[in-house]
Amino acid sequence: MTKADRPQSSREELLRAWERNLPSVLNQNDQAKVNLDQGDERALRITIQTAGRTGYNFDFKCTYMDDREVDVQLVDVESEGQSVDERNEQIQELISDYVRHIHECAQMVIPVTHA
């Protein structure tokens, strides 16, 4: 990625835009936390905690390929502090939904990245 391909806004401004917009695309009772990736200036770390009894925590790495496109990778799924097998059908559906929601949020923050 060249300098021209990187999001134009500061990382802190981008982080604030994600923090503002991500909750609006998630299920109402889900919780999300967005952090800057300390090892990759093009990436954000996103943790989504599901509502309900399962208490799953999904950790994603969201990497900007350019100012409009992101690559979303699942890092880990935990329940009650323990890693769980993400091959379970229910968990796969949740992962798919959350990846879609993350892409939706990336579209919402384009005014910040494409300024």
Side-chain angles (χ1 to χ4, degrees), residues 7 9-18 44 64 109 112-113:
S9 61
S10 74
R11 290 185 78 201
E12 292 75 22
E13 184 181 355
L14 181 63
L15 176 63
R16 287 190 302 275
W18 274 85
L44 299 168
Y64 272 87
V109 302
V112 175
T113 62

Side-chain angles (χ1 to χ4, degrees), residues 1-102:
M1 174 183 290
T2 68
K3 190 170 186 168
D5 293 330
R6 290 199 184 111
Q8 299 297 310
S9 61
S10 74
R11 290 185 78 201
E12 292 75 22
E13 184 181 355
L14 181 63
L15 176 63
R16 287 190 302 275
W18 274 85
E19 290 173 331
R20 252 189 337 269
N21 288 287
L22 187 57
S24 70
V25 297
L26 295 177
N27 298 324
Q28 183 176 4
N29 295 319
D30 289 346
Q31 303 282 327
K33 182 167 179 136
V34 183
N35 291 299
L36 299 174
D37 186 303
Q38 298 305 313
D40 184 348
E41 69 180 25
R42 300 174 306 141
L44 299 168
R45 293 293 183 142
I46 300 170
T47 300
I48 300 172
Q49 182 177 13
T50 60
R53 293 175 291 153
T54 59
Y56 290 123
N57 285 322
F58 293 84
D59 292 321
F60 295 95
K61 182 176 182 179
C62 176
T63 306
Y64 272 87
M65 307 311 289
D66 58 33
D67 63 350
R68 293 176 184 255
E69 183 182 352
V70 294
D71 177 57
V72 180
Q73 298 293 320
L74 176 70
V75 175
D76 191 30
V77 181
E78 293 183 353
S79 179
E80 298 179 4
Q82 300 293 317
S83 288
V84 297
D85 184 356
E86 66 267 3
R87 293 174 293 183
N88 170 301
E89 186 176 333
Q90 177 190 15
I91 294 174
Q92 282 297 309
E93 288 177 21
L94 287 168
I95 292 168
S96 220
D97 285 347
Y98 289 136
V99 167
R100 183 172 40 82
H101 294 320
I102 291 169

